[in-house]
Amino acid sequence: MARLKIGILISGRGSNLQALIDACARPDYPAEIVLVASNRPDAFGIERARQAGLPAVVIPHRDFADRASFEAALDGALSQAGVELICNAGFLRLLTPWFVERWHDRQINIHPSLLPAFPGLHTHERALAAGVRFSGCTVHFVRVAMDEGPIIAQAAVPVLPGDDAETLAARVLAAEHRLFPLALRLVAEGSARIVRAADGGERVEIAGAAVSPDAILNPAD
Ligand code: GRF
């Protein structure tokens, strides 16, 4: 089985990276990690990559005069490692249109909300302030606009009485760790395909996905 070569971009803790490391360790998983790159030297994810014996590189954005030269270095490292698909796993740098277009349809991101609700930062605080009954996470293809792009997979979690941003974040994070490996598998095995509609919109079609048509109610009935 040819496995899709992925590069993972991180900036911090790397718990989603760990979920992908664990998934890629399974012999039947259709992707392999060929590079982990962090823009922050203190990212714990770099330690996780090294412990797993994976190639890891720190490319500190502060060492570069501008975004363009930082991204050129990042792009060079990814290309040299033979990366075919980038996974953004808690990567906290805005990417320029140049980089995004260069990796068009070859870069996916995880975001801790049910997009298109609550793009950007402080998602859990904003979800709680809005009083939504469900939150969750989304894996999507990256486009120039932040947290936009064709949605591959989502996980919904209930907002529970007494939740604060921390408890909600922990519930969403546990769902992220299930969702990211699933979404990556769908892309790597070719079952998730971007379909361009006549109106110019883009959607992802999933071949042979198991879905339950039942509603999930919160509060339950
Ligand atoms: C996750 O919540 C992810 O959705 C967001 O940043 C967080 C990264 O956490 N983009 P980790 O570094 O994967 O633990």
Side-chain angles (χ1 to χ4, degrees):
M1 176 187 61
R3 309 215 288 164
L4 191 72
K5 293 179 168 46
I6 62 169
I8 304 186
L9 302 187
I10 60 164
S11 297
R13 164 179 70 180
S15 68
N16 277 289
L17 163 67
Q18 190 65 55
L20 295 177
I21 290 173
D22 295 346
C24 289
R26 293 198 285 270
D28 59 344
Y29 195 76
E32 62 177 316
I33 301 166
V34 296
L35 187 68
V36 175
S38 171
N39 65 309
R40 296 187 59 105
D42 57 351
F44 182 63
I46 287 293
E47 186 54 37
R48 295 180 191 267
R50 295 206 169 118
Q51 272 174 20
L54 295 169
V57 58
V58 176
I59 304 177
H61 62 273
R62 287 182 209 283
D63 288 2
F64 295 85
D66 51 27
R67 242 175 237 279
S69 49
F70 163 68
E71 288 184 357
L74 187 59
D75 179 68
L78 292 162
S79 301
Q80 192 161 9
V83 169
E84 297 170 301
L85 179 85
I86 299 174
C87 295
N88 296 354
F91 181 65
L92 302 178
R93 291 300 289 168
L94 270 182
L95 293 164
T96 67
W98 174 79
F99 189 92
V100 172
E101 291 309 337
R102 208 168 155 74
W103 292 90
H104 190 84
D105 291 354
R106 298 188 297 143
Q107 185 177 19
I108 66 178
N109 177 52
I110 189 156
H111 180 77
S113 77
L114 289 173
L115 291 173
F118 313 121
L121 296 175
H122 308 301
T123 51
H124 307 301
E125 287 85 347
R126 287 154 61 212
L128 289 169
V132 294
R133 294 287 178 220
F134 288 98
S135 191
C137 49
T138 303
V139 178
H140 63 96
F141 284 99
V142 172
R143 293 293 181 261
V144 170
M146 188 181 53
D147 299 328
E148 274 189 35
I151 291 170
I152 302 160
Q154 294 185 305
V157 304
V159 178
L160 299 181
D163 262 344
D164 57 23
E166 209 170 306
T167 57
L168 180 56
R171 195 173 308 120
V172 170
L173 191 66
E176 292 183 47
H177 298 160
R178 293 173 59 193
L179 189 72
F180 212 167
L182 166 70
L184 174 58
R185 180 171 64 71
L186 294 173
V187 172
E189 73 191 10
S191 357
R193 281 191 319 117
I194 299 173
V195 176
R196 288 179 178 82
D199 64 3
E202 301 178 293
R203 280 178 300 279
V204 173
E205 274 183 11
I206 313 269
V211 262
S212 156
D214 296 338
I216 310 161
L217 279 59
N218 180 22
D221 59 354

